């Protein structure tokens, strides 16, 4: 659990630095992006190693059939991650699409994982996303972006979502957590 908590703390600190201490982030200058990126990669490695090595301590039993809800929420989550990049019809309508994607990702995983390490990892990432949205909202009013690509952006995002979801499912199966098999439910 130590590695998991350290990774989660590093993830939060690296992401929130710009919001909590803009002066510190500004002092890092352009090279600060590389430093932050390196810290984020390290945080992911620590979280993965910590989660995989954590003792399984059950906290609650996930509801039967929750795997189907998880998969649906994950499709929505992955789609939201792509909204800003593909600039479809939702782009000017949803503030913080990636952070909302992280919240939905968190909820989806908490539906099917009732152990302590999952509560720390998925609950922690969800909490980080909510705190990030609150800090960004507090910093100023949202200036809605221009419409972007419209339906073409949505089509690009949908295609990318399906491909990425397929890759995510393959990685989960490779790690021993099959997304579409009965043992997952």
């Amino acid at each position: 659990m130590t590695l998991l908590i350290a990774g989660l703390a590093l993830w939060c600190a690296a992401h929130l630095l710009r919001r909590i201490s803009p002066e510190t982030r500004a002092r890092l200058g352009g090279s600060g992006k590389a430093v932050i990126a390196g810290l984020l990669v390290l945080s992911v490695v620590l979280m993965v190693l910590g989660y995989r090595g954590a003792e399984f301590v059950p906290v609650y039993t996930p509801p039967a059939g929750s795997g189907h809800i998880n998969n649906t929420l994950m499709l929505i989550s992955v789609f939201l991650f792509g909204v800003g990049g593909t600039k479809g019809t939702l782009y000017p309508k949803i503030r913080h699409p990636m952070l909302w994607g992280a919240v939905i990702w968190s909820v989806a995983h908490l539906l099917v994982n009732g152990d302590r390490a999952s509560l720390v990892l998925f609950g922690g990432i969800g909490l980080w996303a909510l705190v990030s949205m609150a800090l960004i909202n507090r910093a100023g009013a949202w200036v809605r972006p221009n419409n972007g690509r419209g339906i073409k952006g949505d089509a690009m995002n949908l295609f990318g979502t399906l491909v990425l979801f397929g890759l995510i499912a393959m990685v989960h199966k490779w790690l021993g957590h099959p997304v579409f098999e009965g043992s997952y439910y």
Side-chain angles (χ1 to χ4, degrees), residues 120-145:
V120 170
L121 177 61
F122 304 123
I125 294 289
L127 185 61
W128 156 78
L130 291 170
V131 167
S132 294
M133 284 189 269
L135 289 172
I136 293 167
N137 290 346
R138 191 178 75 181
W142 183 36
V143 177
R144 289 186 186 273

Side-chain angles (χ1 to χ4, degrees), residues 23-66:
E23 309 81 29
T24 303
R25 176 61 188 93
R27 277 196 308 270
L28 292 172
S31 63
K33 288 183 180 182
V35 170
I36 297 296
L39 291 174
L40 290 172
V41 168
L42 177 60
S43 74
V44 170
V45 169
L46 291 172
M47 285 188 285
V48 169
L49 293 175
Y51 183 76
R52 300 232 348 125
E55 176 186 0
F56 183 83
V57 178
V59 177
Y60 62 90
T61 302
S66 59

Side-chain angles (χ1 to χ4, degrees), residues 79 82-88 91 148-150 152-158:
F79 186 84
V83 165
T86 57
K87 295 177 177 52
Y91 176 63
R149 295 185 186 100
K152 180 181 176 184
D154 290 334
M156 291 167 46
N157 193 12
L158 182 59

Side-chain angles (χ1 to χ4, degrees), residues 1-23:
M1 286 292 285
T2 303
L3 288 178
L4 174 57
I5 292 169
L8 185 60
L10 186 57
W11 171 272
C12 293
H15 274 98
L16 295 175
L17 178 65
R18 189 171 89 183
R19 302 286 170 211
I20 294 173
S21 182
E23 309 81 29

